[in-house]
């Protein structure tokens, strides 16, 4: 059942454009949502110490205190806020470690709005959310992979396109997906060619027109 109440969310990520992107996604999903945003682990720890949030979406690779250390500190302080790690990592060790340390969910930064909504609503019901199998083919749903195939994009290129839609720079995408900057640029050129576009703005608009969720 969709969540219909008011919600206060903490977002922690050091990429400002990604924060703006996830805010926009959540505003479109939930009718009554309030945000606070921080850019490092120290700030996140301070904010979460008062248990004032319904849910927190935390980047695993935060500066200052990373996601693992943050979870360890929160467990000591008896934090009651459910934590969802939002990251580009697909390493099974990262998934298991974050859940072992007390996170309620682990979702990819390439997730679409419906997947993020499902994760938040599941966590608010007290359920654990994690990838069914930690590899690329399970990071995106079948509809998304079909869309990519129809438009001559690889799964990795679709992940890059989603991060472009969230406003990440080439450098930020490289960091999130653990790719070289040159590889990211190659993927973006391929995306432009596949969509018949010449800029990020055109690619985002064309993807929406073609039905990318």
């Amino acid at each position: 059942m969709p969540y219909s109440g008011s919600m206060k969310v903490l977002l922690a990520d050091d990429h400002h454009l990604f924060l703006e992107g996830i805010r926009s996604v959540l505003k479109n999903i939930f009718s009554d949502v309030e945000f606070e945003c921080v850019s490092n682990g120290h700030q996140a720890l301070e904010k979460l110490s008062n248990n004032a949030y319904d849910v927190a979406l935390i980047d695993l690779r935060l500066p200052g205190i990373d996601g693992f250390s943050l979870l360890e500190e929160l467990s000591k302080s008896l934090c009651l806020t459910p934590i969802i790690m939002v990251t580009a990592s697909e390493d099974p060790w990262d998934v298991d470690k974050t859940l072992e340390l007390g996170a309620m969910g682990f979702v990819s930064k390439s997730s679409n709005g419906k997947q993020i909504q499902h994760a938040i609503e599941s966590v608010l019901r007290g359920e654990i959310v994690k990838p069914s199998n930690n590899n690329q083919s399970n990071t995106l749903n079948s509809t998304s992979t079909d869309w990519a195939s129809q438009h001559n994009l690889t799964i990795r290129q679709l992940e890059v396109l989603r991060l472009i839609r969230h406003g990440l720079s080439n450098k930020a995408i490289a960091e999130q997906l653990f790719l070289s900057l040159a590889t990211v640029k190659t993927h973006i050129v391929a995306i432009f060619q596949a969509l018949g576009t010449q800029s990020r703005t055109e690619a985002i608009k064309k993807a929406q027109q073609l039905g990318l969720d």
Side-chain angles (χ1 to χ4, degrees), residues 10-13 36-53 56-59 62-67 69-71 73-74 77 79 81 83 85:
L10 179 68
L11 303 175
D13 197 291
E36 284 196 47
C37 299
V38 297
S39 59
N40 64 60
H42 293 290
Q43 294 170 337
L45 181 60
E46 181 179 356
K47 291 288 186 180
L48 288 166
S49 64
N50 59 18
N51 290 310
Y53 305 94
L57 277 66
I58 307 292
D59 182 12
L62 281 176
I65 303 176
D66 67 14
S69 299
L70 177 62
L71 288 170
E73 292 299 321
L74 291 174
S77 64
C79 174
T81 303
I83 306 296
M85 285 296 171

Side-chain angles (χ1 to χ4, degrees), residues 15 168-176 181 184 200:
H15 295 105
L168 270 68
S169 66
N170 290 2
K171 181 180 179 182
I173 291 172
E175 292 173 354
Q176 294 297 332
L181 190 56
V184 171
R200 284 168 163 256

Side-chain angles (χ1 to χ4, degrees), residues 156-210:
R156 179 61 86 186
Q157 288 162 1
L158 180 56
E159 290 178 324
V160 171
L161 178 56
R162 288 200 185 283
L163 294 179
I164 289 174
R165 289 206 312 177
H166 282 302
L168 270 68
S169 66
N170 290 2
K171 181 180 179 182
I173 291 172
E175 292 173 354
Q176 294 297 332
L177 296 180
F178 304 100
L179 301 173
S180 70
L181 190 56
T183 299
V184 171
K185 291 178 179 178
T186 298
H187 283 319
I188 291 175
V189 169
I191 291 168
F192 289 173
Q193 291 177 340
L195 298 181
T197 58
Q198 296 182 342
S199 70
R200 284 168 163 256
T201 301
E202 287 182 7
I204 293 169
K205 185 175 181 180
K206 185 65 174 291
Q208 292 172 336
Q209 292 173 344
L210 293 173

Side-chain angles (χ1 to χ4, degrees), residues 17-60:
L17 291 176
F18 181 80
L19 286 176
E20 290 302 311
I22 198 69
R23 279 166 58 97
S24 178
V25 168
L26 294 179
K27 282 182 179 179
N28 288 332
I29 294 173
F30 300 105
S31 59
D32 187 4
V33 59
E34 178 184 350
F35 301 98
E36 284 196 47
C37 299
V38 297
S39 59
N40 64 60
H42 293 290
Q43 294 170 337
L45 181 60
E46 181 179 356
K47 291 288 186 180
L48 288 166
S49 64
N50 59 18
N51 290 310
Y53 305 94
D54 295 293
V55 66
L57 277 66
I58 307 292
D59 182 12
L60 184 61

Side-chain angles (χ1 to χ4, degrees), residues 25 29 111-121 141 143 213:
V25 168
I29 294 173
S111 298
N112 59 36
K114 290 181 180 178
Q115 290 169 320
I116 294 172
Q117 177 182 7
H118 169 74
I120 291 175
E121 291 178 342
N141 61 27
T143 301
D213 56 14

